[in-house]
Amino acid sequence: MRNLLLTLRYDGSRYHGWQIQPNGDTVQQRMTDAFYKLSGKKENIIGCSRTDSKVHADMFCCNVRTQCAVSCEKIPDALNFYLPGDISVYDCREVPESFHARYDCRGKEYIYLIYNGKYRNPFYENRALFYPYFIDERMLNAEAAAFAGKYDLSAFCSSGSEVKDRVREIYASSVERSGDLVRFKVSGSGFLYNTVRIMAGTLLEIQQGKIEKGTISRIIESKNRLAAGATADGCGLYLSRVFY
Amino acid sequence: MRNLLLTLRYDGSRYHGWQIQPNGDTVQQRMTDAFYKLSGKKENIIGCSRTDSKVHADMFCCNVRTQCAVSCEKIPDALNFYLPGDISVYDCREVPESFHARYDCRGKEYIYLIYNGKYRNPFYENRALFYPYFIDERMLNAEAAAFAGKYDLSAFCSSGSEVKDRVREIYASSVERSGDLVRFKVSGSGFLYNTVRIMAGTLLEIQQGKIEKGTISRIIESKNRLAAGATADGCGLYLSRVFY
């Protein structure tokens, strides 16, 4: 039995996230179907995370235990042949049989992308939040630094999550501009449901004056979801790195 | 009567080019429909060029003579409200009544975009030619310089074109890489049918050794379409600047 670690990139616009569900097309479903065509067996593809509807990935990892004998070198092209054009596998390697893409994940980095031009840009439709108002990226970068640290993420977790231990470590958090694109980048040991989208929404509300500057630490301490900003749209979110 | 010069950007993936045609969705049709909703009259929208099916524009200009009284400042947002998300108007200004977007155009710049990664990238699907083989961009840049000059473009014009005067001036031509993206950029006084796509195809065939290095000048002199390379796919082509 081989255990394969696959790395892929996908445009999530058309998908209801990673995880297979009865109604709606998902990336895991497409990967399962493609792997079935390759190996002739219905394998369980284990993802590193459940991304939401419309969320993208520049790097997403999954593992699959299989008898399939195709060489690692050939697997990406073979799977891409069966996958739709908005999903692309770009790496495949063998890992120990005990390796689990989710449990062994030591951290992730996300980027929340904002298109900050005056008029919408067709090339960022569904691929960035369109926000045509003033953004002071230096001010937001200074604010975003307060997200770093090890703490209970309850204020940045959508209600409905039943996770008990909500303490995670946020390694780094920054905001930078390149032309009309503003990127909020955050890495950490783990994230709860909607965490990055709520952090992005909080930064936008600080920009808008709805949330006071310098209060992110207080919001963290409150552990109160209502103290943070609204959940920013999924279309701007990219899983950008996965650490093992 | 006002004459308005509109500047737009579009993702051409879903369109059969700019020009209205009986079968197939076009950008001109969408612009005409949006302008009708704005002004209540069916106006003739005059484009700077006819782009092909699947071809994109970062900058496309068109003019419309109209009685519509909406201020220039408000027109982009008003049109974008009626346009689909893959077309976006980002500038509107009044020009003299005699101004014609096509006849008064003094030159254009195109970019042919190649995604040169080993595996396809979902974020460039339909937005770049996927070419996973070796490209020596420095060599191609040196070759591309030979496109500059004033000459008869017959070797770089698809058969079927009935244009008689085929002399145009190519101002500049270059190839550069940024990561996995290779850009062939060319500007000139005007272009014939498929010119930039044939130039791009010629460069790729030089890379492949199908066309000998150092022979672009000879291909130009031959005025023979068969001496040049195949027409590269429309999905990689962007109209990037229009000069007046």
Side-chain angles (χ1 to χ4, degrees), chain B residues 84-189:
Chain B
D86 50 10
I87 304 174
S88 174
V89 176
Y90 60 88
D91 194 69
C92 175
R93 55 190 69 191
E94 276 194 57
V95 287
E97 197 167 336
S98 65
F99 180 91
H100 189 285
R102 187 158 159 219
Y103 301 147
D104 288 332
C105 178
R106 291 167 53 202
K108 297 190 191 86
E109 179 192 86
Y110 285 92
I111 287 173
Y112 194 89
L113 189 66
I114 299 169
Y115 182 74
N116 190 223
K118 192 172 171 193
Y119 301 105
R120 69 170 183 234
N121 185 325
F123 300 110
Y124 289 101
E125 205 201 353
N126 302 319
R127 293 187 184 174
L129 179 73
F130 172 47
Y131 185 84
Y133 314 104
F134 177 69
I135 291 181
D136 176 352
E137 66 279 4
R138 288 186 198 182
M139 182 275 284
L140 287 188
N141 184 50
E143 292 290 318
F147 285 129
K150 191 169 179 176
Y151 53 87
D152 182 313
L153 280 176
S154 292
F156 302 95
C157 175
S158 281
S159 58
S161 166
E162 287 174 13
V163 177
K164 280 176 188 167
D165 177 10
R166 294 175 164 204
V167 175
R168 300 288 185 278
E169 185 173 359
I170 302 300
Y171 304 137
S173 161
S174 63
V175 174
E176 57 177 37
R177 174 186 295 274
S178 121
D180 285 334
L181 293 174
V182 174
R183 279 185 184 82
F184 165 50
K185 192 192 287 189
V186 59
S187 58
S189 62

Side-chain angles (χ1 to χ4, degrees), chain A residues 58 108-114 137 140-141 143-148 170-177 182-188 191 196 199-200 203 236-241 243:
Chain A
D58 251 329
K108 298 193 190 86
E109 179 192 87
Y110 285 93
I111 287 173
Y112 194 89
L113 188 66
I114 299 169
E137 67 279 4
L140 287 188
N141 185 50
E143 292 291 318
F147 284 129
I170 302 300
Y171 303 137
S173 161
S174 62
V175 175
E176 57 177 38
R177 174 186 294 275
V182 174
R183 278 184 185 81
F184 164 50
K185 192 192 289 187
V186 59
S187 57
F191 295 87
V196 182
M199 287 176 166
L203 290 171
L237 188 63
Y238 292 73
L239 176 56
S240 53
R241 289 179 75 187
F243 307 110

Side-chain angles (χ1 to χ4, degrees), chain A residues 75-224:
Chain A
I75 284 180
D77 280 328
L79 288 175
N80 289 341
F81 179 78
Y82 296 118
L83 286 165
D86 49 11
I87 303 174
S88 174
V89 175
Y90 60 89
D91 194 69
C92 175
R93 55 189 70 191
E94 276 194 57
V95 287
E97 198 168 334
S98 65
F99 181 91
H100 188 285
R102 187 158 159 219
Y103 301 146
D104 288 331
C105 178
R106 291 168 52 200
K108 298 193 190 86
E109 179 192 87
Y110 285 93
I111 287 173
Y112 194 89
L113 188 66
I114 299 169
Y115 182 74
N116 190 224
K118 192 172 171 192
Y119 301 104
R120 69 171 183 233
N121 184 326
F123 301 110
Y124 290 100
E125 205 201 353
N126 303 319
R127 292 187 184 173
L129 179 74
F130 173 48
Y131 185 84
Y133 313 105
F134 177 69
I135 291 181
D136 177 351
E137 67 279 4
R138 289 186 197 181
M139 182 275 286
L140 287 188
N141 185 50
E143 292 291 318
F147 284 129
K150 190 170 180 176
Y151 52 87
D152 183 312
L153 280 176
S154 292
F156 302 97
C157 175
S158 281
S159 59
S161 167
E162 287 173 14
V163 177
K164 279 177 188 168
D165 177 10
R166 294 174 164 204
V167 175
R168 300 288 185 278
E169 185 172 359
I170 302 300
Y171 303 137
S173 161
S174 62
V175 175
E176 57 177 38
R177 174 186 294 275
S178 121
D180 285 334
L181 292 174
V182 174
R183 278 184 185 81
F184 164 50
K185 192 192 289 187
V186 59
S187 57
S189 63
F191 295 87
L192 302 180
Y193 186 44
N194 284 341
T195 296
V196 182
R197 292 167 57 186
I198 298 170
M199 287 176 166
T202 301
L203 290 171
L204 286 173
E205 293 194 15
I206 290 173
Q207 179 64 68
Q208 292 156 7
K210 289 186 197 167
I211 293 178
E212 218 180 316
K213 288 181 202 174
T215 58
I216 285 178
S217 305
R218 254 187 283 161
I219 296 171
I220 290 172
E221 285 160 27
S222 78
K223 298 181 196 171
N224 178 5

Side-chain angles (χ1 to χ4, degrees), chain B residues 8-123:
Chain B
L8 49 148
R9 179 176 275 140
Y10 56 83
D11 175 339
S13 310
R14 294 198 306 137
Y15 298 100
H16 292 248
W18 163 260
Q19 198 170 27
I20 288 178
Q21 48 176 264
N23 308 308
D25 200 358
T26 66
V27 181
Q28 190 183 29
Q29 183 67 60
R30 295 300 186 126
M31 284 294 291
T32 305
D33 293 349
F35 211 89
Y36 176 75
K37 285 179 184 157
L38 179 71
S39 74
K41 290 207 174 153
K42 195 147 191 176
E43 315 280 15
N44 179 28
I45 316 269
I46 301 167
C48 62
S49 139
R50 302 174 191 175
T51 58
D52 284 343
S53 201
K54 304 196 285 174
V55 170
H56 315 289
D58 251 329
M59 181 178 179
F60 185 98
C61 294
C62 52
N63 74 291
V64 53
R65 296 190 180 89
T66 178
Q67 307 264 10
C68 172
V70 179
S71 74
C72 280
E73 205 184 70
K74 290 185 177 165
I75 283 179
D77 280 328
L79 288 174
N80 289 342
F81 179 80
Y82 296 118
L83 285 165
D86 50 10
I87 304 174
S88 174
V89 176
Y90 60 88
D91 194 69
C92 175
R93 55 190 69 191
E94 276 194 57
V95 287
E97 197 167 336
S98 65
F99 180 91
H100 189 285
R102 187 158 159 219
Y103 301 147
D104 288 332
C105 178
R106 291 167 53 202
K108 297 190 191 86
E109 179 192 86
Y110 285 92
I111 287 173
Y112 194 89
L113 189 66
I114 299 169
Y115 182 74
N116 190 223
K118 192 172 171 193
Y119 301 105
R120 69 170 183 234
N121 185 325
F123 300 110

